[in-house]
Amino acid sequence: MSQQGIWYGDVFPLTRSLAAKPIVPWDAATMQSAENLVLGKTVKGGPAAAMESATSRNEEMGVIGHDQSTDATAEHGVNISDTLVPGGGRIVTEFVPAR
């Protein structure tokens, strides 16, 4: 974790410019909303929960403002897919465009 807050690259395996940006409230709320819409809940320990925790910490540290968003989420949103596989399993993919 950076001394200046928690960045996308600290939490997710990213290599593009999004990795060097702090996790912000609008992005976390968008991911949480998408999880709720597709999965019916926010997954404990999942991406939205990690983002909510990081954004709270970033706000406490004064790294970000309460209503900030990244260009990637503001312009393109997030994408979540839920695929059922034989045997009762499921594959969940959550995606934020890395611009």
Side-chain angles (χ1 to χ4, degrees):
M1 178 175 68
S2 167
Q3 293 298 323
Q4 287 82 30
I6 303 171
W7 306 94
Y8 273 96
D10 295 332
V11 178
F12 302 110
L14 300 171
T15 56
R16 292 191 177 186
S17 63
L18 187 59
K21 294 182 179 181
I23 298 176
V24 294
W26 180 259
D27 294 7
T30 302
M31 182 64 80
Q32 184 176 29
S33 177
E35 280 189 6
N36 286 327
L37 181 66
V38 174
L39 306 174
K41 64 180 180 178
T42 300
V43 179
K44 185 175 183 175
M51 290 173 73
E52 286 290 334
S53 179
T55 197
S56 292
R57 177 69 184 220
N58 285 344
E59 283 187 80
E60 288 172 7
M61 295 174 73
V63 174
I64 58 170
H66 183 68
D67 58 354
Q68 274 187 262
S69 69
T70 60
D71 292 341
T73 303
E75 293 175 15
H76 304 287
V78 299
N79 184 13
I80 298 179
S81 65
D82 182 21
T83 306
L84 299 177
V85 295
R90 67 196 297 189
I91 298 171
V92 176
T93 304
E94 300 192 34
F95 176 78
V96 174
R99 292 216 162 238

